[in-house]
Amino acid sequence: MRSKMYISTVFISFCSIVCFSQRYFYVSDAGNFQQGPYQILRYNSDGSGGKVFIKDNLAWPQDILFLENQKVVLVSNLSTNSIEKYDANTGEYMSNFTGNVQGATRMKIGKDGLLYVLQWNGDNKVMRFDLNGNFIDNFTQTGVVTSIGLDWDKNGILYISSYNGKFVERFDKQGKSLGKFISTGLAGPTNIHFLDNGHLLVLDYNSGIIKRYDESGNFIQNIVTGVLQCEGINFLTDGSFAIGVGSTSSVNQYDEAGNFIKQLVPNKSNNLLNPNAVIWRDISSKVDDEQKVEKFNFLHVESGKTISLIRHEQTSMIDTVNIFDMNSKLVLSQDLKINPTINAINWPKGIYFAKASLLNHRTITQEIVIY
C-alpha cells in the first residue's frame, strides 16, 4: 500500500521574518571516559570556528540528537543513565529528558516517530520514548549486551551492534530477535550505518577498520583502515562521510569509496580527546526584514506519490528544495527549476522538513508528514 502524504504549514517562515541557512557539525567528546573532561563541540562545515557548545550536565556523553520542531538538542550520558535536554541554538541546559536508561548510548527516531535508545548496561533492551521524554515501552524482547550502534534497513528491520559481544544482531518490527547478522570478524563494533544500496557499514573500534557488508551479512571489504577507536559517523550531501577517530583525537573526512580527504577537526582541536558522535545540522538563523511576504504553501502532493511545486507568482523565486528527516539528515536536494516534481513513494513514514532556497539566498520551510 502506498504511503499517504499530507502537507502542513506549521513551520512556514515565509513572512515578516525570513531565514538563511548555515551548516554546522557537532562532536561529542567523551574526554577521559569515566573521568572527563566532557564537552559538545560545534564547528563550521569546513571545520573552522570550533567552540565549546555544551559543557554542563555531561557525564561520558554519547549521542547528539536535534529535535528541530522543539528547538532542542538531546545528549545521552552513559555514566548518569540519562538523556539531557539543551537549547538547540545556544547549548544552554534546559532540563532532564529522562533518567531511566541504564548506560544511555545511541539514539535515533524510528519510522513510528518514537525515540529509540540503546542501553549499555541493565537488561540491554532497546527503549522507546515519545519526543517529550515519556517512556513508551521496551521495544526489543531481549537485550543486546553493551549495545552501541543501531540502524534500520530498507525493510524496517532493526540492527544493533554489541561492542563486547563483537556482533551485529537484528530484530523484526515487533522487536523479536532474528539472530546474529554478523557474528565473526569484528573486534569491537560501535556505529553501524546502512547505505542506499543496502550495504551495511560497521565502525570497528578495536581494529580501527570500517567494514562493508552486503544485504545478507557477507563481508565485502575494508573501506577505511588505520582509524583506531573510530566512533561516530555522519554523511555529507556529496556522499562523503566524517568519522571520529579517538586514537588521533580528530574528525576525518572520506569520500564514498573510503579515500581520505582531510581532517575536518585537527588533532586535539578545542582540546578534543575522544570523539564519539559526529552530527551535521542545517541552522536557519532568523533575520529581520521589513518586507511583508504572504504566507502560502509552495509544495503540493499529487496522486499520493509525487510532490510538486505550486505554480504561483512568488514561487518563481524558488530555486532548490532540501528535505530533511527528524534527525536533520538530508534526504533529498533537488533543483525545482530543472525538475519541479519529487518522487517520494519509497520514503519511510515520519515527519520531514522541506527548505526551499530562494534566489536571494533566503529560505522558506514547510513540514511534510508521511504515513
Side-chain angles (χ1 to χ4, degrees):
M1 180 181 293
R2 291 174 175 170
S3 297
K4 294 182 179 179
M5 306 176 191
Y6 296 90
I7 302 293
S8 65
T9 59
V10 177
F11 293 90
I12 287 183
S13 57
F14 201 5
C15 53
S16 58
I17 294 181
V18 293
C19 304
F20 64 90
S21 293
Q22 171 67 50
R23 169 159 283 194
Y24 296 100
F25 70 94
Y26 300 76
V27 182
S28 65
D29 185 3
N32 289 308
F33 303 113
Q34 293 94 339
Q35 298 181 356
Y38 308 122
Q39 57 183 345
I40 307 297
L41 301 172
R42 191 183 82 176
Y43 296 87
N44 296 326
S45 58
D46 62 357
S48 65
K51 61 177 290 186
V52 177
F53 181 64
I54 297 172
K55 62 179 180 179
D56 298 323
N57 297 87
L58 299 175
W60 201 337
Q62 298 288 304
D63 217 349
I64 304 168
L65 179 69
F66 285 91
L67 302 180
E68 296 294 354
N69 58 332
Q70 296 185 28
K71 299 181 181 179
V72 303
V73 57
L74 305 179
V75 178
S76 54
N77 289 279
L78 191 149
S79 294
T80 53
N81 304 319
S82 69
I83 299 172
E84 305 298 338
K85 182 163 57 174
Y86 302 83
D87 185 285
N89 294 321
T90 67
E92 181 180 358
Y93 181 73
M94 296 175 66
S95 64
N96 173 258
F97 181 82
T98 181
N100 298 316
V101 184
Q102 296 303 303
T105 57
R106 304 293 177 223
M107 307 178 289
K108 280 189 179 179
I109 296 176
K111 296 177 182 179
D112 52 11
L114 298 177
L115 180 66
Y116 288 65
V117 181
L118 300 186
Q119 299 186 95
W120 181 268
N121 301 316
D123 62 15
N124 305 121
K125 294 179 180 179
V126 179
M127 304 178 74
R128 288 196 298 186
F129 298 85
D130 68 21
L131 299 188
N132 293 314
N134 300 306
F135 175 71
I136 302 300
D137 60 15
N138 288 318
F139 173 71
T140 55
Q141 299 176 19
T142 55
V144 176
V145 62
T146 55
S147 52
I148 196 168
L150 81 161
D151 203 4
W152 289 267
D153 67 14
K154 60 185 178 182
N155 297 315
I157 303 302
L158 177 64
Y159 294 69
I160 302 172
S161 64
S162 169
Y163 176 74
N164 286 338
K166 304 177 183 179
F167 61 78
V168 176
E169 188 170 349
R170 54 184 174 173
F171 294 81
D172 67 17
K173 296 179 181 180
Q174 288 69 49
K176 181 180 178 180
S177 176
L178 298 173
K180 303 295 191 300
F181 181 69
I182 302 170
S183 57
T184 61
L186 296 174
T190 53
N191 299 80
I192 59 177
H193 176 85
F194 273 100
L195 301 173
D196 291 340
N197 63 3
H199 291 173
L200 180 68
L201 296 185
V202 180
L203 275 63
D204 202 18
Y205 185 93
N206 288 345
S207 70
I209 300 173
I210 300 180
K211 299 173 178 283
R212 184 199 297 264
Y213 296 83
D214 68 15
E215 297 92 329
S216 300
N218 299 309
F219 173 75
I220 299 176
Q221 65 178 147
N222 296 326
I223 68 167
V224 177
T225 60
V227 285
L228 192 63
Q229 299 175 0
C230 51
E231 190 170 5
I233 183 170
N234 214 297
F235 279 75
L236 288 72
T237 55
D238 61 3
S240 66
F241 58 91
I243 64 168
V245 184
S247 59
T248 55
S249 302
S250 65
V251 176
N252 296 352
Q253 183 180 0
Y254 300 84
D255 67 18
E256 292 178 278
N259 299 305
F260 178 78
I261 297 175
K262 64 179 180 180
Q263 280 192 335
L264 276 171
V265 179
N267 302 11
K268 299 185 178 181
S269 173
N270 296 99
N271 299 313
L272 175 65
L273 292 179
N274 281 289
N276 62 0
V278 180
I279 303 297
W280 292 88
R281 181 191 181 216
D282 271 351
I283 296 179
S284 295
S285 301
K286 292 182 179 179
V287 295
D288 293 327
D289 195 326
E290 295 180 356
Q291 182 182 7
K292 302 296 182 180
V293 184
E294 177 188 1
K295 294 182 181 180
F296 66 96
N297 289 347
F298 65 96
L299 295 177
H300 172 69
V301 176
E302 298 174 344
S303 304
K305 65 178 182 179
T306 60
I307 302 173
S308 62
L309 179 66
I310 296 175
R311 297 299 180 183
H312 186 281
E313 180 181 355
Q314 296 188 61
T315 61
S316 62
M317 299 171 62
I318 294 176
D319 184 359
T320 301
V321 64
N322 294 314
I323 299 181
F324 302 84
D325 64 15
M326 286 289 291
N327 293 314
S328 300
K329 178 181 178 182
L330 183 68
V331 175
L332 175 77
S333 181
Q334 185 165 310
D335 188 333
L336 296 178
K337 290 189 173 297
I338 297 176
N339 184 0
T341 61
I342 297 169
N343 185 352
I345 186 63
N346 294 319
W347 290 8
K349 299 176 183 178
I351 299 174
Y352 297 80
F353 299 93
K355 292 186 177 182
S357 299
L358 307 182
L359 297 179
N360 59 5
H361 303 296
R362 291 174 175 172
T363 66
I364 55 176
T365 304
Q366 186 167 326
E367 184 190 63
I368 300 174
V369 181
I370 299 177
Y371 63 91

